Amino acid sequence: MKIRLMAAMLAATVVLPFAAANATDLEVTHWWTSGGEAAAVAELAKAFDATGNKWVDGAIAGSGATARPIMISRITGGDPMAATQFNHGRQAEELVEAGLMRDLTDVATRENWKEVIKPSSLLDSCTIDGKIYCAPVNIHSWQWLWLSNAAFEKAGVAVPKNWDEFVAAAPALEKAGIVPLAIGGQAWQAAGAFDVLMVAIAGKDVYQKVFGDKDADVAAGPEIAKVFKAADDARRMSKGTNVQDWNQATNMVITGKAGGQIMGDWAQGEFALAGQTAGKDYTCLPGLGVNEIISTGGDAFYFPLLKDEEKSKAQEVLASTLVSPAVQVAFNLKKGSLPVRGDVDLAAANDCMKKGLDILAKGNVIEGADQLLSADSQKQKEDLFSEFFANPSLTPEDAQKRFAEIIASAE
């Protein structure tokens, strides 16, 4: 559904150079409210406040699926914030096309974003009709399986090295009273887990054909049937999770109540907050230990057009601050994500982050589903997998048919 616009929002503001900006307060909305996320956001706020301006935190509790409609409603309703989080991809596309988002091309050109932001697909996701509309802040990859070393020790089995070993260990975990796989009740968690299984089991090329090329025949074919078989295993192993939020599921791994979790690398922020050490207390398997690939999803900040000239100037300061080298290091070390700059030193990275950086350096990357599918298509996919994980009577075969129909009409 196209966004309904208010004529009052169409007035453009004057863009002045970064150096001319004066101190002012900027409200920044986002959905980073878990403990680890809050610690990372504090680094952004501290850096912006150090410019003489003030970060006014507009955190919205819940997931992006909860926050985005609120953010969009405010922008289209004439009450825009100064900056707002969206995922890399097409979530803000209609807002940009409607003329409601600020063009950051001058800032990006002045600070050589095209040269320093890697991979180039991150900035491509910010670019519409040759103009840059957002400041990327991290690379978040979905392609991880997080394992509790204590849970496997209690179950008397070795920590798995790949997905097949993890599935094989499930009975021993269950016998020890441990949920093998923690998946929260939010729809995006189920859909994200399926995407990770697709890359691990069907491979990078099939993933691209389905989500990039929108090939419904491949989506209905035998390779994706194998993925649905794995998703059925995941559904069985996640029975008994009984939590809603992703960080609650992560906490089950941290406390040894669950053997593992398929989740993006933002989970690392929760492990760090709990004082756990990668390689000692928990194990990470990029690509589920099968295909070591990083998806270049993550987060960027967009800047709605404002009528207040001073706030408009300060928006440039914030955009510059978010991409600056020191902020990239401080923020991403807390967040568990990888920096968007290819020229920063992350010597302090833990074992799991180093694995991610190594995969990124090798170029083993794919674009995230948010970058390849429209928000509407993503929502249809999330609805399907929410039902699939919640309803055992929905067979893998029937679910695959519905999945292929979604891909056939995907944008």
Side-chain angles (χ1 to χ4, degrees):
M1 180 181 294
K2 293 296 180 183
I3 297 170
R4 302 298 181 186
L5 310 178
M6 294 189 67
M9 289 297 297
L10 295 177
T13 54
V14 178
V15 178
L16 295 180
F18 164 59
N22 296 317
T24 190
D25 294 355
L26 291 186
E27 181 193 8
V28 185
T29 56
H30 59 86
W31 57 82
W32 289 325
T33 55
S34 76
E37 290 172 328
V41 171
E43 295 293 337
L44 301 181
K46 180 172 67 175
F48 184 60
D49 289 352
T51 69
N53 296 284
K54 183 172 178 56
W55 174 293
V56 179
D57 201 68
I60 300 173
S63 67
T66 301
R68 281 190 295 272
I70 298 171
M71 295 165 173
I72 292 169
S73 178
R74 283 190 54 185
I75 295 167
T76 59
D79 181 30
M81 63 296 291
T84 188
Q85 172 194 8
F86 285 104
N87 295 124
H88 295 317
R90 301 172 62 183
Q91 292 173 354
E93 186 174 69
E94 292 181 4
L95 292 169
V96 171
E97 291 172 345
L100 298 177
M101 289 301 195
R102 177 168 183 170
D103 177 3
L104 297 176
T105 305
D106 287 348
V107 180
T109 300
R110 185 166 59 243
E111 301 193 354
N112 298 313
W113 286 5
K114 287 187 177 181
E115 284 70 40
V116 300
I117 292 178
K118 305 294 181 183
S120 60
S121 60
L122 298 176
L123 210 55
D124 290 344
S125 291
C126 293
T127 305
I128 296 177
D129 295 331
K131 297 179 180 179
I132 296 169
Y133 287 92
C134 70
V137 293
N138 60 21
I139 301 169
H140 261 321
S141 175
W142 252 104
Q143 314 298 316
W144 297 87
L145 176 61
W146 308 96
L147 302 172
S148 166
N149 291 356
F152 288 94
E153 182 178 355
K154 180 180 178 181
V157 292
V159 176
K161 295 183 176 63
N162 55 51
W163 176 255
D164 287 342
E165 290 184 8
F166 179 63
V167 174
L173 291 169
E174 291 170 338
K175 187 176 180 181
I178 298 167
V179 175
L181 180 66
I183 298 180
Q186 296 161 323
W188 64 269
Q189 296 183 55
F194 179 85
D195 295 350
V196 174
L197 288 165
M198 186 191 298
V199 176
I201 291 165
K204 179 179 178 180
D205 291 343
V206 170
Y207 175 91
Q208 180 61 37
K209 286 177 182 177
V210 172
F211 291 144
D213 302 338
K214 319 297 189 294
D215 192 324
D217 290 336
V218 174
E223 293 303 314
I224 298 300
K226 295 176 185 176
V227 180
F228 271 93
K229 168 60 172 63
D232 192 34
D233 290 337
R235 173 170 63 177
R236 174 179 50 79
M237 291 190 295
S238 65
K239 184 179 180 181
T241 299
N242 296 328
V243 298
Q244 185 72 9
D245 295 338
W246 71 268
N247 54 305
Q248 293 174 319
T250 304
N251 189 62
M252 291 180 67
V253 180
I254 291 171
T255 57
K257 295 177 181 177
Q261 179 189 26
I262 297 174
M263 185 51 59
D265 49 16
W266 50 89
Q268 285 204 92
E270 303 304 301
F271 285 105
L273 198 66
Q276 296 208 341
T277 301
K280 176 185 175 184
D281 301 303
Y282 67 96
T283 295
C284 55
L285 298 180
L288 309 188
V290 181
N291 280 323
E292 293 194 349
I293 290 173
I294 290 293
S295 56
T296 55
D299 305 285
F301 280 88
Y302 287 76
F303 298 79
L305 285 168
L306 301 177
K307 295 179 180 179
D308 186 305
E309 186 174 319
E310 294 306 315
K311 290 185 184 298
S312 296
K313 296 173 188 176
Q315 284 178 318
E316 290 196 35
V317 181
L318 178 55
S320 175
T321 300
L322 294 172
V323 181
S324 64
V327 174
Q328 278 289 296
V329 172
F331 170 73
N332 285 295
L333 285 176
K334 291 284 181 66
K335 191 70 167 61
S337 46
L338 303 179
V340 300
R341 297 184 67 113
D343 60 350
V344 296
D345 181 11
L346 276 177
N350 67 27
D351 288 349
C352 293
M353 288 186 72
K354 287 176 181 176
K355 287 181 182 179
L357 288 167
D358 182 57
I359 294 168
L360 188 65
K362 292 176 181 176
N364 295 341
V365 299
I366 56 172
E367 291 184 276
D370 282 321
Q371 295 169 282
L372 299 172
L373 296 175
S374 69
D376 285 344
S377 297
Q378 277 284 76
K379 180 64 167 59
Q380 293 176 49
K381 181 162 68 77
E382 288 179 358
D383 289 346
L384 169 61
F385 287 105
S386 178
E387 181 182 350
F388 180 76
F389 275 84
N391 180 12
S393 66
L394 177 56
T395 67
E397 294 76 17
D398 287 342
Q400 185 178 1
K401 289 177 184 177
R402 288 172 54 181
F403 178 68
E405 290 171 358
I406 292 170
I407 296 304
S409 61
E411 299 175 346

